[in-house]
Amino acid sequence: SQQGEEDPQALSIQEGENATMNCSYKTSINNLQWYRQNSGRGLVHLILIRSNEREKHSGRLRVTLDTSKKSSSLLITASRAADTASYFCATDQDWNNAGNMLTFGGGTRLMVKP
Amino acid sequence: GAGVSQTPSNKVTEKGKYVELRCDPISGHTALYWYRQSLGQGPEFLIYFQGTGAADDSGLPNDRFFAVRPEGSVSTLKIQRTERGDSAVYLCASSPKGGRASTDTQYFGPGTRLTVL
């Protein structure tokens, strides 16, 4: 089963605009990660934020984490057509005794129009 | 260096057949994960290896699914008596150490698209 929800499920914007995607999860976590996927194949890691962090930046990406609300957001600034992809949040759940397998949300499909 | 590779990239089989999907992780990575992704959904965890041993196989849907990693490197996911519902993209990922509360990045392969007719 999936850990949580991503919102919106689909997002269409013009090049140059900012894109914001939200993720909610259900259980306590060690960290939360965002991945990008093109054409339904391999996932590319974008950014990891630890449970004791509130905000993180990487280039045009900004991620926030609110553990009290069990939610995260991914902001892509100054979007480009090449940013068109599906974006997934994934959590490493705190109860896991064996390892850090990831639990993914359903994803947001982003389309950036040139 | 080389990333995670998976073979075949596509596999079409008939209901009831046996299939094997292969994953070559990044050299030196101790942890290896298998996930399954159905159309329009996020990946779902299947099994996690720490070295040669399956540390957690709680995501395997039933006993038709089995995975091995005999030498702690290459892994094979095996599906017996395939069913149409097994059709999905099977993703493999590896990370340097894994383990509880690790903050290792998981590096994903391109996946194998399995279609069961």
Side-chain angles (χ1 to χ4, degrees):
Chain A
S1 62
Q2 311 236 275
Q3 158 76 305
E5 302 285 329
E6 290 187 58
D7 168 52
Q9 292 186 334
L11 179 62
S12 181
I13 59 174
Q14 293 295 134
E15 207 165 28
E17 294 180 339
N18 295 342
T20 299
M21 290 160 268
N22 302 295
C23 166
S24 61
Y25 57 92
K26 298 173 183 171
T27 64
S28 61
I29 61 173
N30 293 313
N31 62 70
L32 184 145
Q33 305 181 40
W34 284 89
Y35 283 82
R36 167 197 167 120
Q37 185 177 44
N38 287 78
S39 305
R41 298 306 285 259
L43 291 104
V44 175
H45 182 263
L46 296 176
I47 198 165
L48 179 151
I49 185 165
R50 293 180 173 82
S51 61
N52 62 354
E53 297 177 313
R54 291 297 166 258
E55 187 170 315
K56 210 161 182 182
H57 296 254
S58 176
R60 294 185 295 115
L61 305 181
R62 172 177 168 253
V63 168
T64 61
L65 178 64
D66 186 335
T67 53
S68 67
K69 295 181 179 178
K70 291 187 170 59
S71 67
S72 175
S73 67
L74 170 67
L75 169 67
I76 304 175
T77 60
S79 64
R80 306 166 182 166
D83 294 330
T84 295
S86 291
Y87 292 82
F88 294 90
C89 69
T91 53
D92 172 8
Q93 296 175 40
D94 188 38
W95 56 265
N96 184 344
N97 290 319
N100 61 329
M101 66 283 289
L102 298 174
T103 303
F104 286 82
T108 293
R109 294 183 301 282
L110 174 66
M111 175 175 289
V112 181
K113 300 175 184 176
Chain B
V4 178
S5 63
Q6 292 186 245
T7 54
S9 57
N10 288 282
K11 175 71 176 178
V12 179
T13 190
E14 293 179 345
K15 180 175 178 297
K17 299 289 189 182
Y18 168 83
V19 297
E20 290 190 351
L21 312 179
R22 176 186 168 109
C23 171
D24 281 85
I26 293 173
S27 178
H29 278 194
T30 303
L32 185 146
Y33 307 81
W34 283 99
Y35 296 85
R36 177 169 75 171
Q37 186 176 24
S38 299
L39 190 64
Q41 298 184 19
E44 292 187 312
F45 166 75
L46 294 177
I47 186 169
Y48 157 61
F49 285 91
Q50 185 66 256
T52 60
D56 189 328
D57 63 357
S58 62
L60 295 178
N62 52 60
D63 61 6
R64 295 187 297 105
F65 289 74
F66 189 70
V68 296
R69 195 186 184 200
E71 297 177 359
S73 178
V74 170
S75 177
T76 304
L77 178 66
K78 308 180 181 193
I79 311 174
Q80 298 177 319
R81 305 182 304 279
T82 53
E83 299 177 356
R84 292 193 180 89
D86 298 335
S87 296
V89 175
Y90 288 80
L91 296 164
C92 175
S94 70
S95 68
K97 296 191 297 293
R100 187 169 186 268
S102 166
T103 55
D104 283 354
T105 294
Q106 291 186 26
Y107 298 88
F108 281 79
T112 293
R113 186 179 300 279
L114 175 67
T115 303
V116 182
L117 301 177

